[in-house]
């Protein structure tokens, strides 16, 4: 079975609670998956649920960046001061078979850089039946 794109999680870690940032990102269309304590402070995790861009990592990241760019002053300050801001791109695969590629367009990379975020790729092993 081929490698399949699953989703993108936006993960934010900070030394202080992320409630206000979560509210604003939720209002901007981001689904809050988790908002609570972590080993190093506080962690919030988000997804974008949009049927039109569901299979397009580039479109999902642009939606996240649009939400980040719409933040108010207080939430943006928390975003800028966060210890970690990561777009975690998730894939699912059986054990390796051939070559898999997935590209992020330069304009998407530019938006990620302007938001001050990092990119992480996670490949989950598909359960065998």
């Amino acid at each position: 079975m081929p490698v399949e794109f699953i989703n993108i999680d936006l993960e934010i870690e900070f030394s202080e609670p992320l409630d206000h940032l979560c509210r604003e990102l939720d209002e901007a269309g981001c689904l809050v998956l988790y908002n609570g304590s972590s080993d190093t402070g506080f962690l919030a995790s988000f997804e974008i649920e949009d049927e039109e861009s569901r299979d397009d990592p580039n479109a999902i990241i642009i939606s996240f960046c649009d939400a980040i760019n719409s933040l108010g002053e207080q939430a943006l300050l928390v975003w800028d001061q966060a210890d970690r801001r990561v777009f975690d791109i998730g894939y699912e695969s059986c054990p390796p078979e051939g070559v898999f590629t997935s590209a992020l367009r330069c304009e998407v990379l530019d938006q990620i850089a302007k938001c001050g975020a990092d990119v992480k790729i996670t490949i989950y092993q598909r359960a065998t039946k």
Side-chain angles (χ1 to χ4, degrees):
M1 297 185 101
V3 176
E4 294 180 3
F5 169 70
I6 301 173
N7 64 6
I8 298 175
D9 292 342
L10 172 59
E11 299 171 349
I12 304 165
E13 284 188 292
F14 193 44
S15 58
E16 299 176 22
L18 294 160
D19 298 337
H20 183 74
L21 178 63
C22 286
R23 274 192 301 279
E24 286 205 27
L25 286 174
D26 179 63
E27 291 170 4
C30 300
L31 176 66
V32 180
L33 300 175
Y34 179 79
N35 176 27
S37 61
S38 71
D39 293 339
T40 59
F42 296 89
L43 170 69
S45 179
F46 306 86
E47 280 187 356
I48 296 280
E49 286 191 346
D50 178 6
E51 284 299 317
E52 290 181 24
S53 62
R54 152 175 207 133
D55 297 325
D56 183 358
N58 289 285
I60 293 170
I61 290 174
I62 291 295
S63 293
F64 270 129
C65 291
D66 288 345
I68 293 161
N69 290 326
S70 75
L71 293 173
E73 187 175 329
Q74 183 182 1
L76 191 57
L77 184 62
V78 171
W79 171 266
D80 287 339
Q81 293 178 346
D83 301 311
R84 189 171 76 92
R85 299 170 299 272
V86 176
F87 293 102
D88 185 357
I89 306 172
Y91 295 91
E92 183 178 59
S93 176
C94 288
E97 50 180 70
V99 175
F100 170 76
T101 61
S102 178
L104 295 176
R105 296 187 314 266
C106 63
E107 60 269 18
V108 173
L109 294 171
D110 184 51
Q111 289 297 315
I112 293 168
K114 286 179 181 174
C115 287
D118 297 319
V119 174
K120 176 172 77 171
I121 307 293
T122 303
I123 300 177
Y124 301 93
Q125 184 171 350
R126 185 176 293 126
T128 56
K129 296 180 183 179

